[in-house]
């Protein structure tokens, strides 16, 4: 592991205080409750984040509710014109968003740029809403004598999304474009740890000049979230985050009669077959585990080598770890940035220690890493544990840090049993050139996103984002056709006329 520092790019302007966006206007939040926004690489305060109280949330929801009637009656071909303009505005601001994202989150600039690109992809997909609304609708003539029947998709009202810290630019765009394209109005509540990305995204929204009240933003913490979950005018809730919170979101929202899609946590395994192309697989595995400092729900942080693949796999992983650079994400040579908070870094360190206590071998220990130029950063070097077993906490609990757990299996059947041993069902990857083995894996692994020779199996915007078991609560996922079904309901009309 190395640490390097280059001259960082000029800082993106950061407001002193984060604001809400309601009814087409930027609104200061009058609140004594809030927290500082901190750069995890330096622990410098970037801005203050005030928390919106119940009255503030109510005002935003009421504004969105009042805007719904006219927006829902706006033809879809007119609604998508705003999305075309939004795509252009976001592309013009890509570097500004990337700079802000890296400062507030810590990920590398390349990771931030890639994240924004995936978010824009969803704006592009949602711009095809006129055709997507047609799909799934229907018209059957003469269902009975002189009687016709129709199914028409219609929007429902105000939707909200509560989004996490790990992908603050991409995940809001999993929801916002589809909600408004289908004719609903929308309120975003971003993570209080990373609100700057949303501020710039909403600057783009403001420039597009959506009708007042169609797209809104409220900042806040737990009380802000609960005010949204319990508000009688919210029709549906989207969430991405940890499983305990996802369960709370699901139960509370459902109790109040709302539609819910709640993406929870994960514990993902990557399996490397004996006939895998290791030269291709190794950078893929390393990127999956250590990219974004391990802070993503698609990280395959348990790696299983089958049979004779294990020793060369282990050797090449060690070589690759040694080449990784830990540092400030604004420095172009950085491969692994800091963790989001000091508390997160301590939690990961404790999980590593617990694994050692349970019998794992600590092969690479990144817990003592200190950056000479950023002594106050929340850094943790890439870490590797070996000889882990499925009865250890490290192989069953989401770690959200740059830690790989390495183990071996005798054959594909044993490997699949390991993959399916957790309470989660988010993602898994297999590296193989054996088509029959890959087909078996797809059939038998209980996960919603499966990669074959792909380490981060993030679906394109025109496919839904999968998730099973304790990784997802609800029926309809984010993105793609599931998003259209989530944000609309089908009204059945049966018609008969007796005179001409």
């Amino acid at each position: 592991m190395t640490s390097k520092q280059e001259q960082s790019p000029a800082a993106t302007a950061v407001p002193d205080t984060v604001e809400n966006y309601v009814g087409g206007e930027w609104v200061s939040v009058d609140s004594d409750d809030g927290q500082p926004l901190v750069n995890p690489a330096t622990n410098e305060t970037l801005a203050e984040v005030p928390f919106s109280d119940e009255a503030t949330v109510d005002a935003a929801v009421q504004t969105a509710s009042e805007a719904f009637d006219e927006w829902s009656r706006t033809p879809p071909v007119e609604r998508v014109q705003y999305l075309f303009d939004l795509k252009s505005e976001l592309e013009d601001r890509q570097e500004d968003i990337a700079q802000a994202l890296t400062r507030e989150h810590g990920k590398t600039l390349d990771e931030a740029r890639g994240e924004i690109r995936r978010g824009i992809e969803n704006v592009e997909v949602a711009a095809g809403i006129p055709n997507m609304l047609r799909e799934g609708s229907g018209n059957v003539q003469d269902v009975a004598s002189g009687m016709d029947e129709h199914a028409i998709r219609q929007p429902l009202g105000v939707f909200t999304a509560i989004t996490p810290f790990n992908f603050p630019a991409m995940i809001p765009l999993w929801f916002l474009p589809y909600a408004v394209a289908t004719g609903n109005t929308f309120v975003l509540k971003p993570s209080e740890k990373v609100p700057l990305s949303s501020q710039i995204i909403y600057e783009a929204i403001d420039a597009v000049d959506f009708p007042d009240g169609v797209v809104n933003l409220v900042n806040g913490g737990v009380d802000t979230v609960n005010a949204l979950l319990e508000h009688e005018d919210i029709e549906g809730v989207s969430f991405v985050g940890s499983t305990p919170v996802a369960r709370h979101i699901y139960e509370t929202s459902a109790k109040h009669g709302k539609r819910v899609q709640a993406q929870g946590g994960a514990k993902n395994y990557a399996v490397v077959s004996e006939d895998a192309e290791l030269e291709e697989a190794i950078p893929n595995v390393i990127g999956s585990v250590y990219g974004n400092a391990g802070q993503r729900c698609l990280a395959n942080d348990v790696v299983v080598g089958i049979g004779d693949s294990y020793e060369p796999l282990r050797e090449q992983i060690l070589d690759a770890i040694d080449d990784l650079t830990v540092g400030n994400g604004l420095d172009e040579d950085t491969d692994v940035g800091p963790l989001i908070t000091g508390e997160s870094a301590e939690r990961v360190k404790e999980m590593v220690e617990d694994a050692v206590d349970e019998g794992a071998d600590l092969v690479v220990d990144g817990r003592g890493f200190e950056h000479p130029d950023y002594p106050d950063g929340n850094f943790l070097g890439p870490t590797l544990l070996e000889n882990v077993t499925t009865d250890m906490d490290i192989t069953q609990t989401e770690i959200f840090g740059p830690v790989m757990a390495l183990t071996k299996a005798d054959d594909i059947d044993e490997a699949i049993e390991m993959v399916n041993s957790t309470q989660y069902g988010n993602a898994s990857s297999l590296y193989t050139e054996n088509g029959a083995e890959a087909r078996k894996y797809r059939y038998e692994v209980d996960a919603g996103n499966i990669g074959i020779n792909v380490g981060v199996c993030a679906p394109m915007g025109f496919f839904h984002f999968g998730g099973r078991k304790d990784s997802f609560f609800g029926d309809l996922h984010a993105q793609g056709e599931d998003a259209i079904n989530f944000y609309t309901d089908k009204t059945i009309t049966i018609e008969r006329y007796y005179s001409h």
Side-chain angles (χ1 to χ4, degrees):
M1 292 176 288
T2 60
S3 62
K4 305 174 187 175
Q5 184 185 22
E6 293 184 353
Q7 186 65 36
S8 297
T12 303
V14 175
D16 292 334
T17 303
V18 170
E19 293 184 314
N20 290 354
Y21 184 82
V22 178
E25 300 286 343
W26 289 103
V27 181
S28 297
V29 182
D30 185 13
S31 174
D32 294 329
D33 191 15
Q35 68 180 42
L37 170 63
V38 176
N39 182 333
T42 63
N43 269 294
E44 297 172 297
T45 296
L46 300 175
E48 293 296 323
V49 186
F51 288 178
S52 302
D53 60 15
E54 185 175 353
T56 304
V57 170
D58 179 64
V61 175
Q62 289 300 326
T63 299
S65 184
E66 290 165 6
F68 171 69
D69 185 60
E70 183 174 352
W71 181 247
S72 64
R73 294 175 184 273
T74 302
V77 291
E78 293 182 23
R79 294 197 295 256
V80 300
Q81 301 309 311
Y82 293 94
L83 295 185
F84 289 131
D85 291 343
L86 179 58
K87 165 183 159 63
S88 178
E89 290 288 342
L90 290 173
E91 288 175 337
D92 287 345
R93 290 170 167 81
Q94 280 187 86
E95 192 61 22
D96 285 344
I97 300 172
Q99 294 276 334
L101 202 167
T102 296
R103 283 187 170 81
E104 66 183 351
H105 176 275
K107 66 179 62 184
T108 70
L109 278 170
D110 280 347
E111 289 169 335
R113 291 164 183 147
E115 174 182 341
I116 297 158
R117 188 68 252 169
R118 293 304 299 268
I120 293 172
E121 175 190 303
N122 275 281
V123 179
E124 295 168 346
V125 173
I129 206 69
N131 188 56
M132 289 188 283
L133 287 174
R134 181 180 58 81
E135 295 175 359
S137 302
N139 179 14
V140 177
Q141 186 172 283
D142 291 324
V143 293
S145 179
M147 186 181 295
D148 304 327
E149 189 163 343
H150 316 274
I152 301 172
R153 291 188 185 274
Q154 293 181 310
L156 297 170
V158 185
F159 282 79
T160 188
I162 299 153
T163 56
F165 78 83
N166 58 333
F167 288 94
M170 178 183 73
I171 292 179
L173 296 175
W174 279 2
F175 308 115
L176 187 158
Y178 300 100
V180 300
T182 49
N184 302 283
T185 53
F186 186 80
V187 180
L188 172 67
K189 207 301 285 185
S191 168
E192 60 274 23
K193 297 175 182 175
V194 286
L196 292 185
S197 306
S198 295
Q199 295 281 293
I200 302 176
I201 289 171
Y202 270 75
E203 287 176 7
I205 288 168
D206 187 58
V208 167
D209 202 23
F210 275 88
D212 294 350
V214 171
V215 190
N216 306 276
L217 167 71
V218 294
N219 290 283
V222 173
D223 291 343
T224 312
V225 169
N226 287 329
L228 288 165
L229 302 184
E230 297 170 7
H231 199 289
E232 63 181 3
D233 288 334
I234 293 287
E235 294 292 335
V237 178
S238 302
F239 172 79
V240 179
S242 69
T243 287
V245 179
R247 185 178 283 109
H248 167 74
I249 297 284
Y250 179 69
E251 292 173 350
T252 304
S253 300
K255 179 181 176 181
H256 288 83
K258 306 181 191 312
R259 295 186 170 201
V260 195
Q261 46 182 194
Q263 195 83 32
K267 192 64 187 181
N268 308 318
Y269 283 56
V271 175
V272 181
S273 175
E274 288 183 301
D275 67 349
E277 294 286 347
L278 285 187
E279 286 188 5
E280 302 295 332
I282 294 300
N284 219 265
V285 169
I286 292 294
S288 174
V289 178
Y290 299 118
N292 214 50
Q295 298 173 122
R296 60 179 163 209
C297 63
L298 291 177
N300 291 313
D301 52 37
V302 183
V303 180
V304 182
I306 295 179
D308 291 340
S309 74
Y310 185 81
E311 289 304 327
L313 172 68
R314 178 185 186 276
E315 180 180 343
Q316 292 185 45
I317 285 174
L318 287 171
D319 289 342
I321 289 174
D322 194 50
D323 288 337
L324 293 175
T325 298
V326 181
N328 189 328
L330 292 173
D331 298 333
E332 291 287 353
D333 283 342
T334 294
D335 300 304
V336 181
L339 273 72
I340 189 67
T341 64
E343 291 80 8
S344 294
E346 289 304 315
R347 180 187 58 79
V348 174
K349 291 176 183 179
E350 289 172 6
M351 288 186 68
V352 171
E353 188 63 32
D354 289 345
V356 172
D357 291 343
E358 289 185 84
D361 295 328
L362 185 56
V363 181
V364 179
D365 187 357
R367 292 176 297 172
F369 179 84
E370 294 183 3
H371 199 292
D373 300 305
Y374 307 107
D376 297 323
N378 308 323
F379 295 106
L380 183 66
T383 296
L384 174 64
L385 292 157
E386 193 177 16
N387 296 323
V388 299
T389 56
T390 55
D391 59 352
M392 294 179 180
D393 190 52
I394 198 72
T395 58
Q396 297 295 316
T397 302
E398 188 168 44
I399 192 163
F400 243 53
V403 178
M404 180 188 296
L406 184 62
T407 190
K408 63 181 71 175
D410 290 334
D411 53 36
I412 189 66
D413 290 307
E414 184 182 5
I416 290 173
E417 185 177 349
M418 291 177 177
V419 173
N420 289 337
S421 68
T422 79
Q423 71 188 86
Y424 301 105
N426 201 43
S428 186
S429 293
L430 171 68
Y431 296 90
T432 184
E433 295 300 308
N434 184 322
E437 194 172 61
R439 190 168 188 271
K440 176 184 178 68
Y441 200 81
R442 287 191 288 109
Y443 264 76
E444 297 183 15
V445 166
D446 194 5
N449 304 287
I450 293 178
I452 305 299
N453 298 316
V454 174
V456 181
C457 43
M460 300 293 286
F462 36 85
F463 284 89
H464 75 266
F465 192 100
R468 298 178 186 168
K469 300 196 286 188
D470 279 1
S471 292
F472 182 74
F473 300 88
D475 299 305
L476 297 167
H477 297 75
Q479 300 189 156
E481 185 180 358
D482 270 23
I484 309 307
N485 287 325
F486 182 73
Y487 288 117
T488 62
D489 201 2
K490 295 177 186 175
T491 298
I492 302 296
T493 304
I494 304 172
E495 298 182 352
R496 172 183 282 166
Y497 300 98
Y498 294 100
S499 60
H500 297 284

